[in-house]
Each structure stands twice: as structure tokens, then as C-alpha cells.
Amino acid sequence: MMSLVENVRLAPQRTMRSLLISLSQRRSLARLAVRSPLTRPVVARFVAGETLDLALPAIAALKRAGLHTTVDVLGESVTSPELATTAVDRYVATIAALSEGGLDPNVSLKLTQMGLAIGRDFCQANVMRIVEAVRGVNGFVRFDMEDHTQTDATLEVWRVAQDAYPQVGVVIQSALRRSSADVDSIIAVGGRIRLCKGAYDEPGSVAYRTKAAVDANYARLMERLLLADVYPALATHDPKLIAKATEIVESRGIGRDRFEFQMLYGVRRDLQRALLDRGYTVRIYVPYGQEWYPYFMRRLAERPANVGFMLRAIVKEEGRRIRAK
Ligand code: FDA
């Protein structure tokens, strides 16, 4: 049980996280932020570019450094069929460009970008177009996991896709109480899981609300996945969990080709490098596109110090603009 003192100490941090996540859903702010030149330099740390042409050199540079990649064509919460179709077209073009450029034909997508809110069948058909494009180049597609209201639908759409082509993976969040059961049922069908902590502000009825509980669940699920030998992707920048993973694989003699670490573009490059130097497979999640606002806000929420970093960059940029006038 968390002490009252600990609760009080963590409260401002949690409030900041909740605030940033709630701001991530504000479309009016998104429009404002995307148009402002002030945010550009900070966003560039987390987003590889606003267009595929800008992102491709960044992906190629990661490959030259020995890192693997999965590419996210940014977008989510789509409510019009036209926009969902445009998103599918962008993915298909991205997969072709990655394959032609000799880069990993590996992509990550969100089902709310594929029209899940419009209809399950519509979304499934859109997803299957991407699965077919990936199959054509022997690639891989991962369904990101959104907030808990989308979990059942995401797993159901994933199951249908995975029956058609096995190189389709899904994401499980250690923050959710249901995840232990989900991991068991996905292991039972040999499904490919990316394990992460969870980037959404979930209610206590469905989620663990303390970092300690989320981390402890991550450690439990990670061990289960490594021992089940289902090529899990361990998506975290948490040095303690990474150390625990390497301890498990080294003590159990689990091969380095039986799992991979995954990290986000622009986050803990030192750790990415260190794991690579130790001979581990590291895949970087590389987002690109104009609809970076909600993704970016979730990155701020994960590390409140990033807000200070952003404010300093904005003040510096504004100073530069004023001096140039
Ligand atoms: P934690 O938040 O405890 O951070 C550990 C350390 O990592 C911090 O102390 C800091 O040094 C560094 N760090 C973490 N985030 C940072 C940031 N934004 N900026 C700078 N430093 C940071 N979530 C989800 O809900 N659905 C999904 O599909 C995915 N997909 C996904 C893919 C990949 C490849 C990764 C790495 C992560 C996700 N996530 C996700 C996000 C995930 O749920 C989680 O919010 C973040 O990874 C942050 O959690 P950590 O495990 O890094 O630990």
C-alpha cells in the first residue's frame, strides 16, 4: 500500500501527466501547435519529419548505426472514411518506399486511424490492405494499443489479421489490470507482443495507478513472455527493467535472437547505443507526419522535464525571431 506521504509527493507529477494527456486530445490546440513555427525544433527531437521524404534519411541513418526501425505514419482518432482511406494509402506508399530503399518494411499503426470509430468491418478492411502490402514485401505490422476503451476491438481486429498473415503483432500495456490474462491468451496462439507500460491516463478501475505497480506488472509479464519464447518486443527506456531483462536472458540462456528491445525515436539514445554495443537487437519506433500533436503531448506527459525543455526552446526561438526583426 502506498503511504499517504508518497501519495502527496506523487500527486503533482500525476496531475501534470493527466493534464498533458487531456490536452493531447484537444483538436483546437493541435491546430494551433501544428501551425506554430515555435514548436518545430522541439518536435523534431521526437518526430522524424512531416513527410516521408524527410523521414527516410533519418530511418536510413538509424539503419547505418545498426538499429532496426518500425515506422508510424502519425494519425489517430479519425472520424471520416476519406481520412481513414488516405491514412491507408500513406501506409501502403510508406511500405513500398521502405522496401525499395532497402529499409525494414516494418510499420506500426493505430486502429482509430484506420476508422475503428466508423465501423469494425471498415477498419478491418483497411487494416487488411496494409497487411497485404506488408505481406508482399515479407514485412511486419504492429497494432499499437490506445486507451482501454479500444483494447477489445484492437485484439479482435489483430486476431483476424494474424490468422491471415502471422507477421502481425499487437501491444500490451502493463498498466492495465487485464493484461496478464491477455498475455496468456496471446501466448497460447503464438502471437507477437510488444510490451509497454501504457501512455494513457486510465481510471483505477481498469489500471494500476502507481509507477511501482505498473513497473512490477511489466517485470512479471516480461519474464513470462521471455520464457514463453514468442519473440517479444520489450518496449521501455527504464534502465531497471532493461537490466532485469538482460539478467533473465543471461541466467536462462535465452538467445539474443529470441526477443528485441524497442525504444522511441529521440528518447534515451545513450541506452539504445549501449544495448546495441552489448549485442542486443534494438528497434526504434520512428513516427513521421503532420499529425504529431497527440503523439508529442504523450511524450511530454511521460517526462514532465520535457515541458521545461520545450519552454526553454520556445523562449530561445522567440528571442532569435525578435532579434532578427
Ligand atoms: P518510464 O516512463 O518509467 O521512463 C523511464 C526513463 O525513460 C525515464 O526516467 C526517462 O529517462 C526515459 N523516458 C521515458 N519516456 C521519455 C520521454 N518521453 N522523453 C524523454 N525521456 C523519456 N504506449 C501505449 O500506450 N501504446 C503503444 O502502442 C505504445 N507503443 C510504444 C512503442 C515503443 C517502441 C515504446 C518505447 C513505447 C511505446 N509506448 C506505447 C509508450 C509506453 O507505454 C510508455 O509511455 C513510454 O515508453 C515511457 O515508459 P518507459 O517504459 O520508458 O518508462
Side-chain angles (χ1 to χ4, degrees):
M1 278 267 285
M2 244 177 65
S3 71
L4 181 63
V5 175
E6 183 129 347
N7 256 312
V8 170
R9 193 173 59 77
L10 287 176
Q13 239 180 347
R14 213 181 282 142
T15 311
M16 173 70 120
R17 181 172 185 264
S18 303
L19 174 69
L20 289 165
I21 293 174
S22 109
L23 291 178
S24 78
Q25 290 143 7
R26 296 272 291 274
R27 282 176 194 268
S28 53
L29 277 182
R31 279 193 293 275
L32 205 69
V34 169
R35 271 195 248 116
S36 164
L38 295 179
T39 46
R40 293 277 150 81
V42 199
V43 173
R45 176 181 160 193
F46 298 105
V47 176
E50 290 207 346
T51 63
L52 179 57
D53 284 347
L54 289 173
L56 285 173
I59 299 164
L62 291 168
K63 182 178 176 173
R64 282 195 300 278
L67 294 156
H68 296 266
T69 48
T70 181
V71 176
D72 169 25
V73 184
L74 287 164
E76 55 197 84
S77 310
V78 162
T79 48
S80 98
E82 293 74 27
L83 287 177
T85 306
T86 303
V88 178
D89 294 342
R90 286 200 183 123
Y91 266 99
V92 171
T94 300
I95 292 159
L98 290 171
S99 168
E100 281 157 22
L103 302 169
D104 276 346
N106 186 315
V107 292
S108 292
L109 56 80
K110 290 184 176 50
L111 292 194
T112 64
Q113 184 185 14
M114 300 291 128
L116 190 56
I118 298 160
R120 177 79 61 87
D121 291 348
F122 175 68
C123 174
Q124 186 83 54
N126 284 336
V127 160
M128 295 316 283
R129 265 188 69 204
I130 295 174
V131 170
E132 284 312 310
V134 162
R135 185 211 293 268
V137 295
N138 192 26
F140 189 90
V141 53
R142 176 89 57 186
F143 298 172
D144 288 346
M145 192 57 84
E146 300 175 71
D147 71 72
H148 79 278
T149 62
Q150 315 294 340
T151 310
D152 279 329
T154 304
L155 290 176
E156 282 159 27
V157 173
W158 166 75
R159 272 180 205 280
V160 174
Q162 203 245 5
D163 281 348
Y165 178 62
Q167 302 208 74
V168 182
V170 72
V171 177
I172 291 292
Q173 299 151 322
S174 68
L176 294 192
R177 297 176 191 277
R178 59 176 286 167
S179 289
S180 177
D182 286 336
V183 162
D184 284 345
S185 59
I186 298 170
I187 287 177
V189 294
R192 293 273 297 270
I193 294 179
R194 172 200 293 152
L195 181 64
C196 69
K197 291 189 188 177
Y200 298 84
D201 191 27
E202 305 282 19
S205 53
V206 298
Y208 301 109
R209 296 278 296 166
T210 67
K211 177 168 162 53
V214 174
D215 291 358
N217 199 33
Y218 193 107
R220 277 193 296 274
L221 299 179
M222 175 172 78
E223 181 156 23
R224 204 181 299 164
L225 285 164
L226 285 168
L227 297 181
D229 196 18
V230 283
Y231 199 88
L234 307 177
T236 181
H237 317 90
D238 187 330
K240 282 200 190 120
L241 288 170
I242 291 170
K244 173 136 183 84
T246 59
E247 192 187 297
I248 295 170
V249 297
E250 279 159 26
S251 66
R252 300 293 191 121
I254 295 170
R256 286 172 188 203
D257 57 343
R258 307 312 303 156
F259 70 98
E260 65 187 40
F261 287 109
Q262 294 194 350
M263 297 193 199
L264 299 174
Y265 183 77
V267 177
R268 294 301 308 256
R269 293 190 191 100
D270 55 334
L271 260 184
Q272 300 173 8
R273 186 77 248 165
L275 286 170
L276 200 61
D277 290 346
R278 289 173 65 189
Y280 289 105
T281 301
V282 183
R283 188 176 303 279
I284 307 302
Y285 184 103
V286 185
Y288 89 84
Q290 291 185 330
E291 286 162 52
W292 47 257
Y293 175 79
Y295 176 89
F296 174 68
M297 291 300 283
R298 287 195 294 273
R299 302 298 73 86
L300 293 189
E302 277 154 8
R303 189 165 173 264
N306 284 348
V307 177
F309 169 72
M310 183 180 79
L311 292 175
R312 276 194 301 280
I314 288 178
V315 169
K316 211 163 120 192
E317 179 68 17
E318 190 56 4
R320 207 178 290 139
R321 275 154 51 89
I322 290 168
R323 280 194 300 279
K325 270 187 190 163

